[in-house]
Amino acid sequence: MDLRKAIRTIPDYPKAGIQFRDITTLLTDARAFRRAVDELVQPFAGLKIDKVAGIEARGFILGGAVAHQLSAGFVPLRKKGKLPHQTRSVEYALEYGSDALEVHLDAVVEGERVMLVDDLIATGGTALAAVDLLRQGGAEVLAAAFVIDLPDLGGAGRLRASGVPVSTLVAFEGD
């Protein structure tokens, strides 16, 4: 099965010139969804991962399924102000401005082995912020897995340079 065919491309969204890679079509296709989760898990199945951290919002869907397959706990990494208990936060730069991710203070503890999951890696800013947030809590980030890589934007390389092994399932060049 070619997972690329299960991903819809929406031109000029959210602004002109952007080719938005929409995984909702992959999620609604039971075979493609199962295949994607299996492929996200496979490279890391023997690492004894304690928790899977998923980045809001598609990372929740994928990360929850990956955590289930790995018999690991799940940690939601959310946008600022969305978590109900005490949180740790990290700000990161966007193309225009900044944003922040938060995690509950008790979501990870010193020495826990964590895998990061999201749908797509582009420039890597959000993923690097997520790694920083998890490391601040004492976690060892063993791996990061994404369905889609936009290699021309360099995010996977930046994440690898920070010491996190990266796995991606499909790449869309030139985006």
Side-chain angles (χ1 to χ4, degrees):
M1 167 180 281
D2 182 359
L3 290 177
R4 286 175 61 95
K5 292 179 181 176
I7 299 166
R8 171 175 39 208
T9 298
I10 302 172
D12 299 321
Y13 181 83
K15 64 181 187 174
I18 302 290
Q19 298 290 319
F20 184 80
R21 306 305 179 174
D22 178 17
I23 69 156
T24 60
T25 48
L26 180 145
L27 297 173
T28 61
D29 178 330
R31 286 185 58 229
F33 185 30
R34 176 62 186 229
R35 173 85 181 259
V37 171
D38 288 347
E39 288 187 22
L40 289 169
V41 168
Q42 192 279 327
F44 310 108
L47 291 184
K48 297 181 181 156
I49 292 168
D50 298 308
K51 293 187 178 155
V52 173
I55 299 171
E56 185 171 349
R58 292 170 202 86
F60 291 1
I61 299 163
L62 296 163
V66 168
H68 172 76
Q69 292 286 75
L70 293 171
S71 296
F74 178 75
V75 175
L77 302 176
R78 300 220 52 193
K79 295 187 184 203
K80 193 170 183 116
K82 300 288 186 175
L83 291 170
H85 194 55
Q86 294 176 319
T87 61
R88 170 181 303 107
S89 180
V90 65
E91 287 195 24
Y92 59 99
L94 296 172
E95 187 176 354
Y96 300 105
S98 65
D99 207 347
L101 279 180
E102 291 185 333
V103 66
H104 281 134
L105 290 177
D106 59 359
V108 295
V109 296
E110 188 74 34
E112 281 190 314
R113 299 161 59 86
V114 178
M115 176 182 178
L116 180 66
V117 175
D118 204 2
D119 66 322
L120 180 141
I121 185 155
T123 64
T126 305
L128 286 165
V131 168
D132 183 29
L133 196 56
L134 293 164
R135 286 177 174 164
Q136 284 180 30
E140 180 184 355
V141 182
L142 297 181
F146 305 88
V147 174
I148 301 168
D149 181 19
L150 303 180
D152 293 347
L153 298 179
R158 287 183 191 93
L159 201 51
R160 286 182 186 104
S162 78
V164 178
V166 176
S167 174
T168 62
L169 305 185
V170 299
F172 287 92
E173 304 284 338
D175 294 305

